[in-house]
């Protein structure tokens, strides 16, 4: 089998990339999805708040996914469900497996990585205690409640204040459970401000910052947890322990991009994001292999995933059409509070009139400035009332401004507090 573009993942990123590639003149496109339906994680996100940027209206997750699934079908884009991609070779051969075709290989002109991300598990946290029933990742609990129709428990403690944890605090409450507390290891929440207000404050659920679970009680089923305050080194402070009786502990302790396939390709990776390095076209260090969405870096809004994936699809199409130019790369560097930037490099010859650079900060900053410098010359000095790790930031760089700087080597993005 030969295809111009093979897309690994049929979630929001994969769907948007496929439609974009098709609309940019590519006919032979194949989406490979390991689940039994397209849409990815959106299928279990039945709350609203999606689509405000993309469709200028408020949709639920399944509604947002359905808009793109309808487009995929209308454009006659091929897809295979229940299909696991086992390997991608350096010469762009994709090895996959499903019940109908068995083990098969596809030759791809270009590949778009859109595998999304997974949740960090209890095993990564080293919390003392037995392994009783009642400990779930927040996403697993969300699937049980919203798709399978099961309630994980009635008395709940949530560790971690990422967006899924906050949303599940509200969801469990609406289904009749008592959410006793949300504990967060960091001195700030990892979720969007709107979710803290709508999911915790509106329901009177306490958020304890700089707290963690130090013990899970119960042998067969969770009977309670011990919370303790942590110091600046995130170590529990003796004497601050509090016991909460509960039958369920939900973990919302971070998302990890699904990059096992990427690692096998020997693509250059960014340790901070656990995703690949990409240029302005979202191309990885391997020619013709692009990445977008949560496999690249974890987003807070699906609208931004879509925006990124549309660009990846368009650029993969340009690559297939032979419109891609080789040139000199300018490095983007995040420092002084900026943890990383996407993209990591810009080739002005291939960039659009405006390129959006996304980044996250490493701490909470108030009344500070986002500063962008071309080599040593500051070109952007933008005031921000609040910057927080839970909210993705961006700056827009114009092609004409970059071309106006002769021999530009480095673009630096930093936070200034004066």
């Amino acid at each position: 089998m030969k295809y111009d573009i093979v897309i690994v993942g049929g979630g929001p990123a994969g769907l948007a990339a496929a439609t974009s590639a098709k609309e940019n003149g590519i006919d032979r496109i194949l989406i490979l999805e390991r689940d039994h339906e397209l849409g990815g994680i959106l299928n279990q996100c039945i709350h609203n708040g999606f689509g405000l940027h993309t469709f200028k209206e408020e949709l639920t997750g399944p509604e947002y996914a359905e808009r793109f699934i309808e487009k995929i079908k209308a454009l006659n884009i091929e897809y295979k469900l229940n299909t696991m991609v086992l390997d991608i070779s350096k010469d762009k051969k994709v090895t996959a497996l499903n019940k109908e075709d068995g083990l098969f290989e596809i030759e791809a002109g270009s590949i778009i990585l859109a595998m999304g991300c997974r949740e960090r598990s209890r095993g990564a946290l080293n919390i003392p205690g037995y392994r009783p029933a009642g400990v779930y990742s927040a996403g697993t609990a969300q699937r049980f409640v919203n798709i399978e129709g099961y309630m994980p428990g009635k008395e709940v403690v949530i560790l971690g204040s990422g967006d899924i944890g906050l949303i599940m605090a509200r969801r469990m409450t609406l289904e009749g459970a008592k959410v006793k507390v949300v504990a967060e290891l960091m001195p700030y929440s990892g979720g969007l401000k709107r979710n803290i207000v709508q999911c915790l404050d509106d329901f009177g659920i306490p958020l304890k910052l700089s707290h963690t679970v130090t013990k899970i009680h119960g042998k067969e089923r969770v009977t309670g947890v011990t919370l303790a305050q942590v110091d600046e080194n995130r170590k529990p402070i003796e004497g601050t322990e509090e016991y909460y009786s509960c039958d369920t502990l939900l973990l919302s302790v971070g998302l990890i991009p699904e990059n096992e396939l990427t690692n096998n390709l020997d693509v250059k990776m960014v340790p901070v994001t656990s995703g690949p390095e990409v240029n302005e076209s979202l191309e990885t260090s391997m020619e013709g292999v692009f990445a977008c969405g949560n496999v690249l870096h974890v987003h807070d809004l699906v609208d931004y995933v879509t925006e990124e994936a549309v660009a990846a699809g368009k650029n993969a199409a340009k690559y297939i059409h032979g419109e891609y130019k080789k040139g000199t790369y300018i490095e983007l560097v995040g420092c002084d509070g900026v943890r990383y930037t996407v993209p990591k490099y810009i080739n002005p010859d291939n960039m659009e009139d405006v390129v959006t650079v996304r980044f996250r900060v490493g701490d909470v900053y108030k009344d500070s400035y986002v500063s962008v410098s071309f080599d040593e010359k500051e070109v952007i000095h933008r005031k921000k009332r609040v910057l927080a790790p839970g909210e993705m930031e961006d700056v827009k760089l114009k092609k004409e401004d970059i071309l106006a700087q002769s021999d530009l080597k480095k673009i630096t993005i930093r936070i200034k507090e004066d």
Side-chain angles (χ1 to χ4, degrees):
M1 284 188 278
K2 280 189 179 181
Y3 287 87
D4 289 327
I5 296 176
V6 173
I7 298 168
V8 185
L15 297 176
T19 56
S20 174
K22 184 80 173 186
E23 287 164 354
N24 281 278
I26 303 297
D27 288 323
R28 299 279 293 154
I29 301 168
L30 177 65
I31 301 170
L32 300 174
E33 169 55 48
R34 66 183 177 187
D35 208 347
H36 63 279
E37 59 188 339
L38 296 172
I41 198 69
L42 290 175
N43 292 318
Q44 69 186 53
C45 299
I46 64 171
H47 52 280
N48 58 10
F50 300 91
L52 290 167
H53 296 266
T54 307
F55 297 111
K56 307 301 182 217
E57 58 181 304
E58 199 169 33
L59 305 171
T60 65
E63 286 172 332
Y64 189 97
E66 192 58 32
R67 297 275 176 104
F68 280 97
I69 293 167
E70 284 171 3
K71 248 180 150 180
I72 292 289
K73 290 175 179 173
L75 292 168
N76 292 316
I77 295 171
E78 287 184 64
Y79 58 89
K80 288 181 182 290
L81 302 175
N82 300 304
T83 301
M84 178 65 77
V85 175
L86 303 177
D87 185 55
I88 301 171
S89 69
K90 291 185 173 109
D91 56 353
K92 302 189 194 70
K93 285 195 173 117
V94 180
T95 305
L97 179 72
N98 65 28
K99 272 198 229 175
E100 288 75 32
D101 306 298
L103 185 69
F104 61 97
E105 194 175 79
I106 302 159
E107 286 182 43
S110 174
I111 294 168
I112 299 176
L113 305 173
M115 295 88 76
C117 60
R118 65 176 182 269
E119 294 178 279
R120 188 173 276 112
S121 65
R122 178 192 169 173
L125 302 180
N126 296 321
I127 303 170
Y130 292 98
R131 298 187 66 81
V135 182
Y136 302 93
S137 69
T140 300
Q142 187 180 56
R143 185 178 179 92
F144 279 154
V145 175
N146 293 346
I147 293 183
E148 313 291 347
Y150 297 116
M151 269 297 278
K154 293 181 179 174
E155 287 188 304
V156 184
V157 170
I158 298 175
L159 175 61
S161 61
D163 288 312
I164 307 172
L166 298 174
I167 286 161
M168 281 311 293
R170 174 178 64 186
R171 189 78 184 97
M172 296 292 281
T173 302
L174 290 172
E175 288 298 332
K178 171 67 178 170
V179 179
K180 296 197 164 179
V181 66
V182 176
E184 170 57 56
L185 179 70
M186 303 301 285
Y188 47 79
S189 170
L192 294 168
K193 180 68 177 171
R194 76 179 190 201
N195 284 334
I196 296 168
V197 172
Q198 294 173 4
C199 301
L200 299 188
D201 297 351
D202 287 358
F203 293 90
I205 300 168
L207 171 62
K208 284 185 171 278
L209 300 174
S210 298
H211 278 73
T212 193
V213 172
T214 57
K215 187 166 185 187
I216 299 171
H217 302 271
K219 205 164 186 181
E220 301 301 320
R221 173 88 197 191
V222 174
T223 57
V225 297
T226 298
L227 290 190
Q229 197 173 338
V230 298
D231 59 22
E232 62 274 8
N233 299 314
R234 301 176 209 165
K235 301 293 182 194
I237 301 169
E238 207 171 321
T240 63
E241 294 86 358
E242 291 177 89
Y243 176 79
Y244 285 84
S245 65
C246 62
D247 60 14
T248 306
L249 173 65
L250 300 188
L251 304 175
S252 177
V253 289
L255 299 167
I256 305 166
E258 288 270 20
N259 269 310
E260 284 69 25
L261 291 169
T262 320
N263 283 319
N264 291 342
L265 278 169
D266 285 336
V267 162
K268 285 184 187 170
M269 305 294 282
V270 180
V272 174
T273 61
S274 298
E277 286 184 2
V278 291
N279 61 24
E280 77 301 319
S281 302
L282 300 171
E283 184 187 37
T284 67
S285 59
M286 184 173 169
E287 186 182 307
V289 177
F290 298 79
C292 56
N294 284 352
V295 80
L296 180 56
H297 59 137
V298 176
H299 295 62
D300 39 27
L301 293 180
V302 73
D303 301 80
Y304 296 156
V305 168
T306 297
E307 191 180 305
E308 203 172 79
V310 166
K314 182 178 180 181
N315 291 320
K318 279 170 74 175
Y319 176 82
I320 294 297
H321 290 315
E323 297 168 5
Y324 218 56
K325 299 170 189 165
K326 298 202 177 205
T328 308
Y329 280 105
I330 300 161
E331 185 182 9
L332 275 86
V333 176
C335 63
D336 299 335
V338 175
R339 298 184 68 225
Y340 69 88
T341 67
V342 172
K344 181 88 171 76
Y345 300 96
I346 287 178
N347 175 356
D349 294 332
N350 284 328
M351 74 180 282
E352 301 285 324
D353 291 338
V354 176
V355 66
T356 300
V357 180
R358 302 195 193 281
F359 64 92
R360 285 188 191 269
V361 295
D363 206 343
V364 176
Y365 297 91
K366 292 186 178 176
D367 295 320
S368 298
Y369 297 86
V370 174
S371 168
V372 179
S373 298
F374 288 177
D375 288 332
E376 302 306 316
K377 180 186 174 187
E378 187 174 62
V379 292
I380 295 175
H381 189 72
R382 189 178 75 204
K383 183 158 189 181
K384 291 286 289 185
R385 195 172 65 79
V386 178
L387 291 155
E391 309 258 355
M392 189 178 284
E393 301 292 335
D394 67 64
V395 292
K396 298 193 185 305
L397 303 179
K398 294 180 182 174
K399 182 172 184 171
E400 60 181 353
D401 294 342
I402 291 174
L403 292 175
Q405 300 289 319
S406 61
D407 202 31
L408 178 58
K409 296 283 191 297
K410 186 168 73 171
I411 297 172
T412 307
I413 304 176
R414 55 168 58 89
I415 306 303
K416 288 188 173 179
E417 296 190 76
D418 53 337

